[in-house]
Amino acid sequence: MKRVSFRRLLDVLGGLVLASLVLVPSATGLGALPALGTALNPGTGVWRLSADAGTARSGEMALPGLKNPATVSFEDNGIAHVRTGDDQDLFRVIGYLHARFRLVQMDLTRRQANGTLSEVIGAATLEVDRFQRDLGLRRAAERDWAALGDDNPAKATLQSYSDGVNAALRELRSGNRMPTQFAVLGYEPADWSPVDSLAVQRLVGQKISFDSQAPLFSYAEKAMGTEAFKAWFPDVPENKQHPYDKGPFKKLPLTPLPQRSFPDPGNGTTKASAAGQTKPDGPLALGAGSELAPLLERLGELPNSGMGTMGHSNSWVVSGSRTESGKPILSADPHLPHSLPSIWYQLEGRSPGYHFSGVTTPGLPVPLLGKTDDFSWGLTASQRPTTLYYLEKTEQGRPDEFFSKGSWQPMTLLREKIAVRGQSDVDHTIKLTSHGPVMEVEGLTAAVWWAGTLPNDNLHSMLKMLRARNIQEFRDSLSNWVTPALNFSYADRHGDIAMFNAGVAPQVDGHPPTLPLPGDGTAEITGSIPFEALPSSVNPPEGYIVSANQREVTGDYPYQYSTSYNWVLHGWRDGEIVDRITSAGKLSFAETAAMQSDWHDNNARQLVPLLLEALNGEQLSGSEQQVVDMLRGWDFTAGPESLAPAFFDSFKNRVSWVTFEPWWKHYGVKQNPGEYLLPKGPDAGAWAQETLRGTVLGWIQHDPDNKYFSLPDGTKRTTTQVLREAFHQSVKRTVEKFGADLNGWRYDRYQRVLFPSLLGISALDVGPMPWGGNPRTINTSVGTRDDDAGNPLSNLSTAGPTWRLNVDWGTGEANSIFPAGQSENPMSPWYANGVPVWMKGQFWPVLEGDAVKGTSEWRLRP
Amino acid sequence: MRVVLIIAAVAALDAAALLVGWWWVTILVAALTVFRFAGTRVLLAVLAGTVVAWGASMAAQAGSQLGAVADLVAAMALNNRGLGWVVIVVSLVYALLLALAGSWIGGAARRLRRTEPEVVAEQEETLEAQHV
């Protein structure tokens, strides 16, 4: 009897053990494993992917909070057209739309901004979270939200937008229709708040304005000394420049900067606020996290986008005197890292007080580029110093103090806990000096003053801008713009064109803000360039204005401004754009739009003729003669079928290498820890190379006797010798790499473009595909990826024009395209439907009003 | 006949629950079925009904894109689009594990509460079931 009972007991026990083994991972997941029941069940798990991937089915639905009925029409390409009877309804519907099509992107973006990625990803993103918490986007967003007055329209707009997002969240939750990616990741997003939007807004600014150029170039400046450093890296690049504001300049008194306040130092133990943004239950608190799934590992690579490594853009406006239509044309294409989904969500919004078409960023309620009924506008990053590094004096015995203005000051300490998936929370202490958070960047520990966390009311500026009726109102709307520093291009129906630089421009007495500054109080910021004195151009006599991240002003600008090494672009793209505009007759809309796909390399256009001249009389081998013949017939296009870029890719770097490499060895310039200040080899690119390429070209053109062409030991060299040596080396190297047959040198055999999935999953990427272009072409191709050894992957373009816009105020035509799609669902036909159109240099028309041919429509009722 | 009915009933109950995401009903249905009806054939019928319910629900949700969805999930979870079949197999094996766990609990509970005469009756019932 006893034996039988024991067996039965074992029987029950076995059943319970098996049930537990199945139930625990089913209900809560294990470590990196998501909750299997939620993830795999056919009703609400991953198998819904195709059901949710639909474009947008017509129908009527409730959107709580709406004051009046609203509609959203969808074109067959996914572009949305929102019509509401109330202004706040418009932003509510935009929030709803964003959440319905980009919820995963929104949540990950918010987490990156807030420093809470590790909570859902694990230890792989811990350093990113630390970095973001140090930088303090969330702190700044909370501060600015608290400071918004009730009468500020930005407050209502942010609230309406959040309400729309949360309405979609509730709908998705109650219908068990959360995006499948959440099932795979094993969590659900929390409600959206206005503070989240403000944090995302700052993250967008971070991606284009937070830079590490000052500590990076300090390695060169320290080794070379100021004189040599300034010769190589001058304020104004040595090669031909195209500033859109040529003066005369006004030297106006500085304006005070918005004052930022940090939490009370006496408190000292400020705990992180509700930055978690997730349901606390579920898999996050469970499991050892011993083995991360590939998805989680790839997500761990997201920090790359936290540093401004790619902030190029083009925008130009041409007045009616130069266009076929007799009215202005605006073209704009912001260059950023490609991703699927894109940073952009395109829509038309119409309400009693607003009518715009343009691109929004999921998380933000307003378009950042686009057009209204009265004007069109574009943006380019103004590459002037807004990230300042202060070297604080500290002592081992005073770990939480810094020496400033003659005495030891306490740092403000903020103690936070970072939730990490698969392990216990990690303590993190943020140290703040009067200059900013203490951070380690490029091997340098410094307090970082970054304009991106200054108090700002940019959304209010954007709302005013969207209601502007003319150039004066547009300009006025920008007068309080704080950050990031941008050039706003403008063209309107009245015939006016303009470019306005906006944003704070910190000035430091007696020290260049582009290099690390002493933190002892002798290099404090004295104010900002007043808006009235920032670069601008209105209806210039030449009939065009171009911004392509070049230095906006001439050398006599009376303020501290960008330098050749402070991330500014060196005149290649703007040079090409100016050439194209000035050499054309009357520009048509189609011609202007086609310029955005231009692949002429302006560096080659200037350097190759000098090389060919230098080779006159030189003894050449058979291969070298072939290359010379090829170069003589080259139109300087770096298109997919071109042969010459194979050679020029090497040559442009070798000219700098042959000139400068003996010298930086002589000076003992050290490589930065990330090893991208100096080229690792004669054909490698590097940050210093970007500047030196312009420097050496300018010297060859205007200063051929410059001492740096000769060798440090006194051996005399001429520019001709330098060019010849670089040529011989480059031909040898190109033949070794691609063979002696020039037909094997086609650019598209090795130049590729890749549109990576935002989740970092290569199986969800589009590409790589044969491509053309380089960082100097108008149609920019920039690589932002490293190989496994940490070396930049050459010839893999992962960044470039993320949206193209053209508006002709004479014909009324407008078109646009972005290399992605409106939906983040990889199964949606709107996931990457813009890629092939973009690659062909084609566009989608920007349709408005009755011209919209909606293939489906949502009718939203309160 | 009873086996067929069990398959149909299990499949219907499971599928209905799966429509709203109640994956745990698979365990419950298996447990109750095996608690009520004993025998190997009943167990196999429960497993078959479970597979039918999960397979049909997966196909109903994904439609003609079942393979594509599986490939996409494989891409997200395994970073390999070619392993979609693994995702399908894992899903069905997982469903079977749920049913097995439920069946075990149901069977154990049944055996725990039975008395000697019930054992005899059960044996008779099992024999009877084998002739259905």
Side-chain angles (χ1 to χ4, degrees):
Chain A
M1 186 67 188
K2 277 184 179 174
R3 271 181 63 195
V4 172
S5 294
F6 183 65
R7 278 172 63 186
R8 283 189 183 165
L9 203 62
L10 274 182
D11 188 19
V12 174
L13 214 59
L16 289 174
V17 168
L18 178 62
S20 303
L21 285 175
V22 178
L23 278 172
V24 169
S26 292
T28 62
L30 269 180
L33 203 64
L36 290 177
T38 312
L40 293 179
N41 88 79
T44 56
V46 294
W47 302 101
R48 278 196 58 86
L49 260 170
S50 65
D52 292 337
T55 46
R57 296 187 192 105
S58 292
E60 189 169 316
M61 55 192 86
L63 179 53
L66 274 186
K67 292 183 182 131
N68 297 299
T71 60
V72 183
S73 298
F74 295 92
E75 294 179 52
D76 59 0
N77 55 20
I79 306 297
H81 301 266
V82 183
R83 281 175 185 239
T84 64
D86 178 84
D87 290 343
Q88 291 310 313
D89 280 356
L90 174 61
F91 301 115
R92 191 172 286 110
V93 175
I94 290 174
Y96 179 79
L97 264 176
H98 282 172
R100 287 291 304 271
F101 288 96
R102 299 288 185 86
L103 190 56
V104 178
Q105 179 185 28
M106 288 173 74
D107 191 59
L108 290 176
T109 307
R110 149 173 80 172
R111 285 185 173 280
Q112 188 178 358
N114 293 344
T116 57
L117 277 172
S118 303
E119 188 173 24
V120 297
I121 291 167
T125 50
L126 194 50
E127 284 311 310
V128 193
D129 284 349
R130 286 194 174 114
F131 185 89
Q132 291 300 127
R133 284 167 186 251
D134 284 346
L135 201 53
L137 307 193
R138 180 81 190 182
R139 292 194 298 278
E142 286 173 345
R143 177 202 59 211
D144 289 358
W145 173 246
L148 274 183
D150 289 338
D151 57 342
N152 189 326
K155 188 163 193 171
T157 301
L158 287 166
Q159 192 59 61
S160 299
Y161 179 84
S162 295
D163 291 345
V165 174
N166 291 329
L169 271 166
R170 280 193 299 277
E171 186 183 314
L172 294 170
R173 277 194 205 112
S174 64
N176 288 317
R177 288 164 53 210
M178 274 291 170
T180 308
Q181 291 92 327
F182 289 121
V184 176
L185 283 165
Y187 79 99
E188 275 193 13
D191 281 353
W192 194 266
S193 74
V195 175
D196 292 326
S197 289
L198 291 175
V200 168
Q201 176 198 328
R202 278 154 185 76
L203 184 68
V204 174
Q206 182 185 345
K207 288 177 181 181
I208 58 177
S209 78
F210 186 88
D211 71 80
S212 60
Q213 301 303 90
L216 182 64
F217 277 87
S218 69
Y219 287 87
E221 196 262 350
K222 264 188 246 163
M224 297 170 66
T226 303
E227 190 185 341
F229 181 78
K230 280 205 151 193
W232 290 22
F233 304 103
D235 285 355
V236 181
E238 288 284 351
N239 57 309
K240 190 177 180 187
Q241 296 297 295
H242 306 88
Y244 68 71
D245 189 347
K246 301 172 188 70
F249 301 110
K250 295 170 276 189
K251 175 77 175 175
L252 302 175
L254 300 183
T255 53
L257 284 162
Q259 286 300 302
R260 82 181 108 203
S261 58
F262 294 117
D264 176 13
N267 185 353
T269 54
T270 310
K271 183 123 177 5
S273 57
Q277 308 302 339
T278 188
K279 289 182 174 176
D281 53 349
L284 307 182
L286 290 170
S290 57
E291 190 177 326
L292 288 169
L295 170 62
L296 305 185
E297 288 179 12
R298 296 303 188 282
L299 280 169
E301 293 169 9
L302 277 176
N304 289 335
S305 55
M307 186 78 78
T309 54
M310 169 68 197
H312 308 173
S313 299
N314 300 322
S315 188
W316 60 88
V317 282
V318 184
S319 75
S321 64
R322 286 185 172 272
T323 65
E324 269 186 6
S325 71
K327 288 278 190 175
I329 294 178
L330 175 141
S331 297
D333 50 287
H335 304 173
L336 291 165
H338 295 307
S339 69
L340 295 171
S342 163
I343 184 176
W344 307 120
Y345 182 88
Q346 187 172 338
L347 55 80
E348 176 197 7
R350 184 190 290 272
S351 70
Y354 297 97
H355 183 215
F356 50 74
S357 290
V359 280
T360 56
T361 289
L364 300 179
V366 293
L368 302 185
L369 302 91
K371 68 179 286 291
T372 69
D373 290 338
D374 296 294
F375 67 91
S376 48
W377 81 101
L379 301 174
T380 64
S382 178
Q383 321 285 41
R384 52 183 161 76
T386 54
T387 314
L388 278 52
Y389 290 80
Y390 281 92
L391 302 174
E392 305 288 11
K393 185 178 176 185
T394 55
E395 273 184 10
Q396 274 196 332
R398 301 170 181 268
D400 299 329
E401 295 177 29
F402 66 106
F403 189 82
S404 179
K405 297 176 183 170
S407 65
W408 289 96
Q409 315 276 339
M411 292 181 187
T412 300
L413 303 182
L414 304 176
R415 296 195 170 84
E416 299 188 346
K417 284 195 184 297
I418 304 177
V420 183
R421 181 175 185 159
Q423 66 179 66
S424 49
D425 291 356
V426 172
D427 291 321
H428 179 62
T429 301
I430 299 157
K431 295 184 173 185
L432 300 162
T433 74
S434 56
H435 299 116
V438 178
M439 303 172 80
E440 186 169 321
V441 179
E442 297 302 337
L444 191 81
T445 302
V448 182
W449 185 98
W450 177 51
T453 50
L454 288 173
N456 82 54
D457 193 12
N458 284 354
L459 181 57
H460 191 188
S461 299
M462 289 298 286
L463 291 170
K464 276 203 282 191
M465 188 191 85
L466 290 170
R467 289 176 184 262
R469 296 278 177 260
N470 53 50
I471 196 167
Q472 191 56 46
E473 289 179 12
F474 181 86
R475 183 181 180 280
D476 290 347
S477 72
L478 301 175
S479 59
N480 291 319
W481 186 265
V482 176
T483 180
L486 294 170
N487 296 295
F488 288 79
S489 56
Y490 173 93
D492 71 18
R493 60 195 311 226
H494 311 294
D496 291 322
I497 62 169
M499 189 81 72
F500 298 110
N501 188 289
V504 297
Q507 304 291 293
V508 179
D509 253 355
H511 297 270
T514 46
L515 290 168
L517 299 162
D520 59 5
T522 61
E524 299 301 289
I525 294 170
T526 51
S528 171
I529 303 173
F531 178 68
E532 295 72 23
L534 284 171
S536 66
S537 177
V538 177
N539 295 321
E542 60 267 30
Y544 64 86
I545 312 168
V546 175
S547 175
N549 313 107
Q550 81 275 26
R551 195 178 200 268
E552 294 92 341
V553 288
T554 48
D556 57 341
Y557 188 61
Y559 296 98
Q560 290 171 325
Y561 208 69
S562 62
T563 64
S564 62
Y565 59 94
N566 187 234
W567 214 28
V568 73
L569 273 292
H570 292 94
W572 315 124
R573 280 181 286 117
D574 43 288
E576 204 59 34
I577 295 166
V578 168
D579 281 357
R580 289 288 301 269
I581 292 172
T582 52
S583 62
K586 296 279 187 182
L587 272 167
S588 71
F589 177 68
E591 284 169 331
T592 317
M595 280 169 61
Q596 291 177 323
S597 296
D598 188 287
W599 269 323
H600 283 91
D601 184 333
N602 196 263
N603 189 12
R605 191 188 289 282
Q606 295 184 65
L607 190 55
V608 168
L610 297 169
L611 167 66
L612 293 174
E613 193 182 324
L615 290 175
N616 280 336
E618 175 75 337
Q619 191 73 30
L620 301 176
S621 69
S623 292
E624 288 171 342
Q625 188 57 53
Q626 273 188 304
V627 171
V628 167
D629 293 342
M630 177 184 70
L631 291 176
R632 286 192 198 286
W634 188 26
D635 64 355
F636 311 113
T637 300
E641 296 169 4
S642 306
L643 306 179
F647 161 81
F648 190 74
D649 262 3
S650 169
F651 178 72
K652 70 176 195 307
N653 286 335
R654 297 249 174 186
V655 173
S656 304
W657 179 270
V658 169
T659 306
F660 295 108
E661 192 261 353
W663 284 98
W664 67 61
K665 272 190 178 163
H666 168 75
Y667 287 124
V669 180
K670 285 182 187 159
Q671 189 64 285
N672 67 307
E675 298 192 328
Y676 48 82
L677 170 63
L678 302 173
K680 290 181 183 174
D683 293 305
W687 276 106
Q689 277 278 40
E690 294 301 316
T691 300
L692 295 177
R693 198 170 292 144
T695 300
V696 77
L697 175 64
W699 288 351
I700 293 170
Q701 288 172 327
H702 312 298
D703 186 14
D705 296 325
N706 192 293
K707 71 172 186 178
Y708 290 107
F709 284 122
S710 296
L711 294 173
D713 64 5
T715 307
K716 182 79 179 162
R717 285 194 310 186
T718 64
T719 53
T720 300
Q721 286 172 305
V722 167
L723 286 166
R724 285 178 174 184
E725 188 179 336
F727 173 79
H728 293 307
Q729 288 183 15
S730 300
V731 172
K732 184 168 181 287
R733 181 261 179 186
T734 311
V735 168
E736 282 169 4
K737 188 172 179 184
F738 298 109
D741 180 4
L742 265 54
N743 291 319
W745 292 16
R746 266 182 66 120
Y747 199 33
D748 59 3
R749 291 201 173 178
Y750 56 97
Q751 175 73 358
R752 296 278 189 274
V753 63
L754 175 72
F755 304 93
S757 92
L758 186 70
L759 298 178
I761 302 167
S762 58
L764 302 182
D765 297 347
V766 171
M769 294 172 283
W771 196 231
N774 62 46
R776 302 171 303 283
T777 54
I778 299 173
N779 189 2
T780 296
S781 293
V782 178
T784 57
R785 289 193 159 186
D786 294 341
D787 62 19
D788 291 340
N791 298 313
L793 271 176
S794 57
N795 301 120
L796 180 67
S797 170
T798 51
T802 50
W803 193 55
R804 292 180 177 136
L805 169 71
N806 297 283
V807 182
D808 186 333
W809 286 99
T811 63
E813 290 173 278
N815 62 23
S816 67
I817 190 66
F818 65 123
Q822 295 280 78
S823 170
E824 67 184 356
N825 188 325
M827 294 210 65
S828 169
W830 294 345
Y831 178 63
N833 53 328
V835 171
V837 186
W838 180 92
M839 288 186 72
K840 287 177 198 159
Q842 297 171 347
F843 296 87
W844 289 328
V846 175
L847 301 176
E848 294 180 324
D850 295 336
V852 176
K853 296 173 184 66
T855 54
S856 58
E857 184 176 83
W858 289 349
R859 291 177 299 283
L860 304 170
R861 52 184 161 72
Chain B
M1 187 61 195
R2 190 169 66 164
V3 169
V4 174
L5 284 174
I6 289 174
I7 292 175
V10 167
L13 286 169
D14 281 358
L18 287 173
L19 276 178
V20 288
W22 291 356
W23 53 269
W24 43 269
V25 168
T26 300
I27 293 185
L28 204 63
V29 167
L32 291 173
T33 308
V34 174
F35 182 74
R36 174 66 186 82
F37 309 105
T40 310
R41 288 194 171 200
V42 172
L43 175 64
L44 291 176
V46 167
L47 297 181
T50 302
V51 169
V52 168
W54 278 68
S57 299
M58 283 157 53
Q61 283 292 355
S64 58
Q65 303 209 58
L66 182 69
V69 173
D71 285 345
L72 189 55
V73 176
M76 284 195 276
L78 309 167
N79 201 23
N80 188 332
R81 264 190 190 270
L83 294 179
W85 63 272
V86 172
V87 176
I88 294 175
V89 169
V90 164
S91 296
L92 294 177
V93 168
Y94 169 70
L96 286 174
L97 276 173
L98 290 175
L100 266 177
S103 300
W104 192 333
I105 291 171
R110 176 189 173 84
R111 287 185 288 274
L112 194 62
R113 73 158 211 165
R114 75 181 176 182
T115 58
E116 283 303 316
E118 281 175 328
V119 173
V120 175
E122 186 181 293
Q123 283 167 350
E124 286 169 353
E125 195 175 72
T126 306
L127 284 170
E128 188 184 306
Q130 284 169 351
H131 288 90
V132 171

